[in-house]
Amino acid sequence: VLGLLVYRTLEGPEISAGGIRLDVGNTFAAALLLAAMISLIWHRRASVPVLVVSGAAFLLSDLIGSATPLLAFAPLMALYAVAVNNALSVSALGAAALAVGALTTAVANPGPLDDDFLDYLLSVGTAWLLGYGVRLNRARTSLLAEQAAQLTREHAAKTQAAVRQEQTRIARELHDIVAHCVVVMVAQAGAS
């Protein structure tokens, strides 16, 4: 699959009598694509460095004018992972850095801002919001599980206290009944 992606990035290298002739710009773009895609392997363990690598690869590729849609997707996946696995400040900083980088490449490229830039900014916001939403959902689920465990412990403690209280009441009643029976037996023995 990666070979096909690289081939698509190279846009079908020309084949001459001497073999495959590669354009240096396309080769650099293919190397950036490989770096970004391979870095995604570690998106759960090292999400911030993966965002830096994939974001830099995309921005460099965009600056040289050979960014592919797949390469644009890599930093979005990394940003999602950063938002899921890190604090709000870290993930917001990552989203802002990615947006500023996209703005920098849009300004560096001649011509008016196009719809692709605005689409990418919207995609950055969406990836961050989805990741942050998953983080909040996980935190809420963890909190609810903790509260359920606490309620279970409290319920068990109350049940044990009620059982002990009932056992004490039954023991007192049995004591009173036995004491009454002994008093009656002593009274009857003394009357005879």
Side-chain angles (χ1 to χ4, degrees), residues 37-53:
M37 292 297 127
I38 290 173
S39 72
L40 288 176
I41 294 171
W42 296 281
H43 75 278
R44 290 185 187 193
R45 284 181 259 150
S47 56
V48 173
V50 168
L51 177 62
V52 170
V53 168

Side-chain angles (χ1 to χ4, degrees), residues 83-152:
V84 167
N85 298 320
N86 294 288
L88 173 62
S89 59
V90 174
S91 65
L93 183 63
L98 201 55
V100 167
L103 180 63
T104 302
T105 59
V107 170
N109 289 331
L113 291 178
D114 57 354
D115 288 340
D116 290 340
F117 168 73
L118 297 175
D119 290 344
Y120 194 72
L121 282 184
L122 182 62
S123 298
V124 166
T126 302
W128 180 79
L129 282 174
L130 285 173
Y132 187 65
V134 167
R135 180 177 173 78
L136 289 179
N137 190 34
R138 286 181 183 173
R140 186 181 69 218
T141 301
S142 174
L143 181 64
L144 289 174
E146 187 178 306
Q147 288 176 347
Q150 179 65 26
L151 288 174
T152 301

